[in-house]
Every structure is written in C-alpha cells, then in structure tokens.
Amino acid sequence: MVVPVHAPTSGTVIAITEHTSPHPSALPETVIVIEPDGADEWRARQRLNIVGCDNQTILERIQDSGIAGMGGAGFPTHIKAGMSQPVDYLIINAVECEPYISADDALMQEAPTTIVKGIDILCKLLNPKAVLIGIEEDKPIAIAALKAACSQREHYYVREVPVKYPSGGEKQLIQLLTNKEVPAGRRPADIGIVMQNVGTAFAVAQAVLDDHPLISRIITLTGESLLHPQNVHALIGTPVAALLDFCGFQAERQQKVIMGGPMMGFTLPDLSVPVVKTTNCILAPTATELPDSGPELDCIRCGACADACPATLLPQQLLWYSKAKDHDKLQEYNLADCIECGACAYVCPSEIPLVQYYRIAKADIREQQREALKAEQAKARFEARNARLEAEKQARLARNQQLAAAREQAQQQSGATNAVADALSRIKAKQAEQTAEKPREQILAERELKKQQARDYQAQKAASAKQEEPTQGSVSADDSSTAKNAAVAAAIARAKAKKEQAASTVEHSAAAPATEPPANTDAADPRQAAVAAAIARAKAKKEQAASTVEHSAAAPATEPPANTDAVDPRQAAVAAAIARAKAKKEQAASTVEHSAAAPATEPPANTDAVDPRQAAVAAAIARAKAKKEQAASTVEHSAAAPATEPPANTDAVDPRQAAVAAAIARAKARKAAVKPEGEE
C-alpha cells in the first residue's frame, strides 16, 4: 500500500520538516524541501521491453516509479494491476464530470498514443476480455484522438457517456458502461472489473517504457481571479502559490482557493501547500463567481438530498448518526459507499455541509477500526508468545526427563551407587528432622519457663502476705487452724502464770499487772494503738478509785479485754464499759484474802496470733517477767514498779511508739492518783 516519492528536479535537500498537507483536515505531514539548481539533470534510465519481461518485473517497475491512481483516490496502481483473479473488463476513466476541470481532455489531445501504450501494459498484466474507454460527449477532439490510437487494437472500445454529474464516479461509470452494479461494501474487482484513470495509464507507459517516474502531471488552473487560466504541466511538489503567480493571480479580500473541482474540492488553508499526484485542478474563484454558503439551518426533511444522491443513500439519516457518532448505524446505512460528490450539500436548502460531516465520520470509523486491528494484533502476538513459552517449557521438561532417564539407565548398567548423593540426602534428611524438632523443643522450654515464673510469683505473694498479716492483726479464713493452735498455746501460758502467782506473796502479787500494758503493742494500725491507749486509761482510773492499801492490787479491774486489737472504736468502747461493770461487782464481793487473784497478772490473750512460734515466744517472756516481779518486789514498792515496767511485748515494731504509750500511761496514772477517791 506504499509507493515511493521522487525528487521532481535536481537540486539540494535543504530541510526535512513538517508542513501543512493538501487535505481537508490540513494536518501537518513530513515533507522534503528541495532547492532546485536549474540544471534538471536525470539519473541513468533503463527502459523495459514489455515483450520479453514477465509481469512481476513490470509490477516492480510500476511500484518503484511511485505510480498511484490519479483520478482522486490515489490507490496504488501495482495492487490493482497485480490481481490474480480473472478480469472481464478493464475500464479507462476519461470522464471529467466536474465543471472547470479539463486536465484529462488536454492529456488525451496531447498524448493519445502514449495512453494506448499504457493500456497495452495493463492488458498484459490483467488479461481482460475487453477494454472500455469512457469519455464525455462534449470532448470531440479527445474522442477522435483516442479512436485513432485504438484503431489497430481489438477489443478496445471508446464509449461516449452523457455529460451529467457525477458520471465520472467509479461505480456510476461501471453502471453506465456495463449495466452492472457494485454491491454495497464490495469492490469492482469482486465482479470482475478493474478501473484505471486515463492519467494513470499515461504514467504507466512512461514508467515502463521510458523509466520515467511519476514526478509531474497536468493541472487545470482556472477561476475569475486568474488573468490567464490554463492547463499546465506542473512538477509534483510545486507550491500552489507559484502556479497561481504563473497564471496572473489577483487576490481579493477574503479570497479562497480550492484544490479540486467546485463540487468535490476543498479550500486550502495556506497557499504554500504543494500539489500532489491526485491534484487535477486549482480553482481561484471570485466572491460573485462562487459565493460562500450561508449559515447552517435545521433540516426541514425535504428529501432533496436523497433524490440527488448518485449512490442512492439516505443523507438525512447519515447526518443524524454522524452528529451522534453512532458508528454502528453509519455502517448499517452504508456510509462507506458515499463518494463525497457533494450533490446532497449542493441541493440542500438549509445550507447544511453534509459532506464535511460524512468525512469526519469516516475518519472516526477508520481510526476505530485501526485501533481494533492493533488490539487484535497485540492479542495475537500475546497468545503466540504464551504458546511459544509453553512449548519451550514442555520441551525443557521433556529434555530434563530424557536426561534423568539416561542417567538412571547409566547407573543401573554400571551397578554403582552414588555415595556422595546418598550422603547428601541423609544429611538433608537429618537437617530436616532437626529443623522439624527444634520448634517443638523451644515451645516446651518456653512453657516450662513460664510455669516456673508463675510458681515464683505465687511464692513471693504468699511470703509477703504472711509478713503483712501479723502487722495488720487480722486472721484470714484460710489460716483458721493456725489460729486455733495459737489460742491453745496462749491458754497454757495463762494457766502457768496463774499457778506461779498463787504461790507469790499477797502484798505485791496484784500491783504489777495493774499498770501492765497490753501484750500486743506491736499493732501496725494507728487506730488500734489509740483504742488500746484508751482502754489502758480507763483501767487505771478504775483501779485507783476502788483500791485501798489492803486490796489495791485488785487484778480483775485491770484485766484488759481479751481482744485488744479491735479495729472498730465502737466495739472497743462497749468492751470497756462491760469491763468496768464487772470490776465493780468483783470489788464489792472481794476480800483481802482473795483480792490477789491470779488472773490480774494474766496477760491479754493474743488471739490474733497467726504464727504459733510467736505465741510461744510471748508466753516465755510472760513467765520470765512474772518470776522477776515475785523475787524483787516488796509491799512498799509493789505499786510503783508497774508504772515503770516496760511493755510486756518487747517485740514491738516501732520502739518510739512504745515509749510514747508508756509515758502517756504514767502521766495518766499520776493524774488519777490526785483525783478524789471513787471518781471515774
């Protein structure tokens, strides 16, 4: 689908750049800029003898010469001429149906013989049954020249067609000459017909016979803006502005220049645009000769466009679908069959530029098809790559299997075992076992460590609880058995003390216990210490009020409550009141003989001892104190010693608290001695 381009003259290439293209879109294209040297020198040319040349050589020459359709579409000639299917008719299109254009007429008048030689070359390639040359009736000179040139050829027929636009269209001319209609979406080759332009036949003859590539063509320069309108033989690539100046161009205000005819041509955006192989006319009309179309109005559905369409399409429907960009509907209504003749836009009373809408829609459809083709090709390449990779993978697997089988067979034949491989396999197996067992051992070790930490924590917690329990003076429910043992030991100690006191003298037996502080002075709670001090003060008052020289040692009055570590002050007050009542009753009935009852020296029962060892120590201390008192006491100082006797419980936690309590007790005892007798 590609043909080369040739330099139209000798010179120097000064630039390869982007330039405005001779196309309705005016998009830039890559061009080669040549500065001519004026010598017009040629390369060496090699002519071909068509009698002794094969078709492939001729086709290559046609392609290398850059020959394409010169009638308007620009389709590569070597593709049409290289068809392998049978051809019934070769049609030479010499119909110039658009106004103003006369380039083909001038060519037929100037070189009819060369045109017929080009037709002979095409017949050699296609081998058609007949050649039909279509020409309009208003070209008598060209008709006569072609008939004279074809007089010696059989099956060459010159046919005149009516002068009616657009009879020069491919499908329209085929229907006029053969009465055959090309189906929608099909090509003329599908019905055994090939059509070539008369200018293409001329270029084929020059390329094959003279080795003259397509570097020039005849162009019609016309319009009222030109002083000398004419047909010129112009080189391909010549700027339009240079041709207009050659013909005396007189530009007007808002001048427009059209490339092509007034019906199918397009306005050039820039006069520096070069002429190309399909340029057959340059039209420079004045504003009165070809006025601009008015503003686009709404479609009134008159149907004039459908009546004027030579391809029997529905321009109105195509317009709606073009605006909506509904490509499926456009293809369904055969937009591709539109030849862009412009007849529909010419007869439209609403001045709608129908052809412009169709061109844009065709470009969009081509782009969409191009993208779909690229996607399909990419998909095919991807699938082919995957198949190739899979085949290579299977080939590698098969090759590896064959090599493994060959190694096994070689080992079996030699009968030797691979000791190194066996040793490596055993080492790997051991490593795998160790790796599998190691996590389990670690888990067990971690579990044992956690259990040991938990046991240590429980032991520390129990030890701290044991240390705190004697200080707080509370017995937990869990240690009830230990408390019972402590109570039994305390009772035994009291009985022994009573027995020793019974043998002591009457005079000093009851003095010491009166001022003896409670045995449990190591209470850690300040509230308990305060309660004990209050009880001691109450006892001292009671003993001083009821004592006499004979019965001053009334021990029961000073017997402290059994539980001196009461936490609640209210309970302590109640216990003190009960103790005072009992003391009064005992004093009334007592006599001097039994006033020294041993319980007076009985130390308070420390029933809250949690530890039996502590209870035994306390009992031993009590016995030692009793023996000491009995040996050193006399009647005269029997009452004074208790005031200075230190507390029985020498294992007090805080020595300062014990000293303070003793000082307070002595001060209260002195104060009570001064008060009247019997005052409480």
Side-chain angles (χ1 to χ4, degrees), residues 466-478:
K466 287 180 181 180
Q467 293 177 359
E468 292 175 357
E469 285 174 356
T471 305
Q472 294 177 356
S474 61
V475 181
S476 63
D478 296 338

Side-chain angles (χ1 to χ4, degrees), residues 48-285:
L48 293 179
N49 185 4
I50 62 173
V51 177
C53 290
D54 57 351
N55 293 347
Q56 186 63 32
T57 303
I58 297 174
L59 290 174
E60 290 178 357
R61 173 61 65 86
I62 292 173
Q63 182 180 7
D64 294 340
S65 299
I67 299 175
M70 301 176 69
F75 196 81
T77 303
H78 68 278
I79 295 178
K80 280 187 177 182
M83 294 175 51
S84 58
Q85 60 195 56
V87 177
D88 295 332
Y89 297 102
L90 172 61
I91 298 178
I92 304 300
N93 187 353
V95 178
E96 288 178 323
C97 53
E98 277 200 75
Y100 295 100
I101 304 177
S102 59
D104 291 345
D105 186 12
L107 178 62
M108 288 184 288
Q109 294 180 19
E110 294 292 334
T113 304
T114 307
I115 293 173
V116 173
K117 290 180 180 179
I119 296 173
D120 295 339
I121 296 172
L122 295 174
C123 289
K124 177 178 176 57
L125 297 173
L126 297 172
N127 193 21
K129 297 179 181 178
V131 176
L132 302 178
I133 302 173
I135 189 171
E136 290 177 302
E137 296 175 343
D138 60 348
K139 297 183 177 64
I141 301 175
I143 293 173
L146 286 178
K147 286 183 177 180
C150 297
S151 59
Q152 303 297 326
R153 273 84 171 172
E154 296 181 358
H155 309 297
Y156 282 28
Y157 305 98
V158 178
R159 293 291 183 262
E160 299 178 8
V161 297
V163 182
K164 184 179 179 180
Y165 181 80
S167 58
E170 184 178 49
K171 295 182 178 180
Q172 287 71 31
L173 184 59
I174 290 173
Q175 188 174 7
L176 287 174
L177 297 178
T178 64
N179 202 23
K180 291 182 179 181
E181 185 175 355
V182 179
R186 306 291 295 276
R187 297 179 301 172
D190 296 332
I191 59 175
I193 297 175
V194 175
M195 179 177 290
Q196 295 286 359
N197 186 264
V198 64
T200 305
F202 177 79
V204 167
Q206 282 190 322
V208 174
L209 300 178
D210 298 333
D211 194 12
H212 190 290
L214 183 56
I215 59 174
S216 62
R217 67 159 299 149
I218 296 178
I219 301 175
T220 301
L221 295 170
T222 184
E224 294 182 358
S225 297
L226 300 178
L227 297 177
H228 307 287
Q230 56 185 313
N231 291 317
V232 297
H233 191 206
L235 297 175
I236 304 298
T238 304
V240 173
L243 296 178
L244 294 176
D245 293 340
F246 177 77
C247 296
F249 176 58
Q250 294 179 345
E252 295 182 350
R253 188 176 183 182
Q254 296 181 350
Q255 178 70 50
K256 61 180 179 181
V257 177
I258 300 172
M259 180 175 285
M263 300 297 292
M264 300 182 66
F266 56 90
T267 303
L268 295 175
D270 187 3
L271 295 183
S272 63
V273 171
V275 297
V276 293
K277 298 175 183 179
T278 57
T279 303
N280 57 359
C281 179
I282 300 296
L283 178 60

Side-chain angles (χ1 to χ4, degrees), residues 535-672:
I535 293 172
R537 290 194 299 272
K539 288 181 180 180
K541 290 179 181 180
K542 184 176 180 181
E543 291 173 356
Q544 291 177 0
S547 65
T548 60
V549 176
E550 292 78 13
H551 62 277
S552 62
T558 61
E559 183 178 359
N563 189 8
T564 60
D565 59 347
V567 177
D568 194 351
R570 291 179 294 178
Q571 293 180 0
V574 172
I578 294 172
R580 288 195 298 273
K582 288 181 179 180
K584 289 179 181 180
K585 186 176 180 180
E586 291 174 356
Q587 288 177 359
S590 64
T591 60
V592 177
E593 290 76 13
H594 66 274
S595 62
T601 61
E602 182 180 358
N606 188 7
T607 60
D608 62 343
V610 179
D611 195 351
R613 292 176 294 180
Q614 294 180 358
V617 172
I621 293 172
R623 289 194 298 272
K625 290 180 179 181
K627 291 180 181 179
K628 184 177 180 180
E629 291 172 356
Q630 292 175 3
S633 64
T634 59
V635 178
E636 289 79 14
H637 65 276
S638 60
T644 60
E645 185 177 355
N649 190 5
T650 60
D651 58 348
V653 177
D654 194 352
R656 292 178 293 179
Q657 293 181 359
V660 172
I664 293 172
R666 289 194 297 272
K668 290 181 178 179
R670 294 191 189 97
K671 186 177 180 181

Side-chain angles (χ1 to χ4, degrees), residues 448-462:
E448 291 298 331
L449 180 60
K450 289 181 180 179
K451 289 181 180 179
Q452 184 63 31
Q453 291 176 355
R455 287 193 293 268
D456 295 343
Y457 175 75
Q458 292 294 337
Q460 292 177 1
K461 187 176 180 181

Side-chain angles (χ1 to χ4, degrees), residues 271-352:
L271 295 183
S272 63
V273 171
V275 297
V276 293
K277 298 175 183 179
T278 57
T279 303
N280 57 359
C281 179
I282 300 296
L283 178 60
T286 59
T288 57
E289 181 183 6
L290 193 63
D292 294 333
S293 58
E296 178 181 351
L297 303 177
D298 294 335
C299 178
I300 61 175
R301 295 177 175 83
C302 62
C305 55
D307 296 336
C309 181
T312 64
L313 300 177
L314 297 175
Q316 182 180 350
Q317 299 290 335
L318 294 176
L319 173 64
W320 295 339
Y321 295 136
S322 298
K323 289 183 176 181
K325 296 186 180 299
D326 192 345
H327 298 162
D328 295 336
K329 283 293 184 180
L330 288 173
Q331 293 179 358
E332 181 181 349
Y333 279 82
N334 302 319
L335 176 63
D337 292 339
C338 175
I339 62 175
E340 302 179 14
C341 63
C344 55
Y346 184 78
V347 300
C348 179
S350 298
E351 301 287 345
I352 300 174

